[in-house]
Amino acid sequence: MLLCAEYVLPITSDPIENGAVLVRNGKIADIGSAHQLKARYPHEEVRENDQAAIMPGLVDVHSHVEFSVLRGMVTDLPYAQWLEKVMHMSSTLDAATMYDSALVGGLEMLSSGITCLGSTTQSESTVRAISDLGLRATIYREVGAMDARRVDFAMHQAAEDIEKWQGEVDSRRMRIGIASAPLYDCHPAIYSRVAKFAGDGLPVALHIAGSREEYDFIKFGRSTFSVDRMKRRGYVEVPPWLPTGATPVNYALNWGAFEAKNVMAIHAVHVKDDDIQVLRQYDVAIAYCPRCNGLLGMGVAPLSEYLKAGMRIGIGTDSPAATDTTDVFAEMRTGMQLQRATDPKHFLTSDTMLEMATMGGARVLGLEDSIGSLEVGKAADIIAIDLSGSHATPTKDPVAAAVNTASASDVVMTMIDGEIVYDKGVWNVDVAFAQGLACIVKARSRLRSLNVDE
């Protein structure tokens, strides 16, 4: 199949005006001028995408896709209060609801141009839903225990789940990793155990330095919400917590959290210069989640410092319970504007943001050899974005148009491994979307009746 469009955005090379991409056997076989490729392959099926940009599929490095059911349920609250209410609500969700929620969230990802995601979960339902959709993914099995006496059991459960999940999925599309629970919700022994368990094989994720509440709790021991969460999780050691005097990054470092080969730090907002050097030294990747950070008052990550340090950085949409949509275009735009406003000396460009949302995300997940750019031999994970709307035309710079004006609703085609899985409002996947949506409606009705202040 020959995909032709007004623009082709390879990411690792300059945009091609009136370009084309040849897809064969699930791979990119050729790329260049539409005129030349049509002449070179005269018998090839041609798909025209007039006034559109063809580019690599978006990579969403961090999400909690099974929480799609919680969209709009908890709003206009700072991080600590939001988290308590969301955790209370999510604890009432059964496996069937989690599956349907992840399914509907995954379908939205496909229609939003996301072809690969990283998701942190304890639910097998998420694994099954994303696998059924055929999305490319790294699913991190989260493990945590506040009490030292429960660490062994928690790790044993996680190891069993990981082995089971690995046997249930297509390893060509999905990898299973491991994630330690957030620092305020986890005994520090978990970090070294997770790193040792992962070794050089499993990818690792870690929520770290995401909020001021976490920072104050770890360094000064004075975060009320964290102590409350410790009580709820059954932490029985006395005293329950002593201030460490260390930043979250150095605290995790002291417990061996970064010893595994491929570690992704989620958020990494509240960091010092020394923390950045530690993360760089251990080649820790960064999941940049600007909308969630902004909406919940978590802060602004020092993105320019990470870029100057040459670190691997990708973009994450985080929990749908916070951001409401899986729109990587909105993340790029918000993230760029926040950085320009807070750090004008290091003026962030549209090209940098689009690279982070594609090739950067591929590097974060360790998939840069197979996805993230339009290059011969790579997997044909490709999307088409309609640029015919008044908000995007006319344009002399298709990259700026994509980042500054496009949204998830402008995606008209999504392809994974050469298979078109979403095409102009129609999903070409074998799942019961209507049934899943009906289940979510019922679940949301039940959730509204919960007293989340209890």
Side-chain angles (χ1 to χ4, degrees), residues 45-226:
E45 175 190 355
V46 175
R47 179 186 171 103
E48 298 284 358
N49 296 274
D50 296 331
Q51 290 186 286
I54 289 174
M55 59 175 280
L58 299 168
V59 181
D60 182 355
V61 298
H62 176 62
S63 63
H64 297 275
V65 66
E66 71 271 22
F67 289 164
S68 297
V69 67
L70 299 178
R71 287 174 176 160
M73 301 297 291
V74 183
T75 59
D76 291 331
L77 287 175
Y79 177 67
Q81 297 175 43
W82 172 87
L83 182 64
E84 284 303 300
K85 294 191 175 186
V86 166
M87 289 299 98
H88 178 49
M89 282 187 161
S90 65
S91 68
T92 71
L93 303 177
D94 59 22
T97 303
M98 296 279 266
Y99 174 86
D100 290 325
S101 183
L103 195 68
V104 172
L107 285 166
E108 184 186 352
M109 287 184 165
L110 291 177
S111 67
S112 302
I114 296 168
T115 57
C116 180
L117 75 145
S119 194
T120 303
T121 186
Q122 291 185 354
S123 170
E124 183 180 1
S125 298
T126 299
V127 178
R128 290 194 296 108
I130 298 306
S131 178
D132 288 347
L133 287 170
L135 270 157
R136 199 178 302 282
T138 300
I139 305 295
Y140 299 91
R141 202 293 194 176
E142 190 174 66
V143 54
M146 289 303 300
D147 193 323
R149 289 171 289 186
R150 299 181 182 180
V151 169
D152 286 343
F153 180 67
M155 286 299 302
H156 176 72
Q157 281 188 313
E160 284 191 339
D161 283 347
I162 288 170
E163 183 178 7
K164 181 182 178 183
W165 296 357
Q166 287 174 329
E168 293 175 344
V169 303
D170 183 349
S171 60
R172 294 170 298 181
R173 290 271 182 101
M174 183 180 291
R175 296 185 306 162
I176 306 299
I178 188 168
S180 52
L183 272 61
Y184 52 76
D185 208 12
C186 192
H187 191 282
I190 287 284
Y191 313 137
S192 56
R193 294 286 295 273
V194 163
K196 183 177 180 180
F197 180 81
D200 292 338
L202 291 183
V204 175
L206 170 66
H207 287 82
I208 189 168
S211 67
R212 174 55 62 179
E213 290 92 345
E214 176 198 312
Y215 188 96
D216 288 346
F217 175 59
I218 296 299
K219 189 167 186 177
F220 306 115
R222 64 185 186 201
S223 176
T224 304
F225 102 99
S226 299

Side-chain angles (χ1 to χ4, degrees), residues 249-250 253 258 274-283:
V249 168
N250 271 296
L253 171 70
F258 310 129
D274 290 347
D275 297 328
I276 295 173
Q277 292 309 310
V278 165
L279 296 172
R280 179 179 180 274
Q281 177 186 345
Y282 283 86
D283 190 28

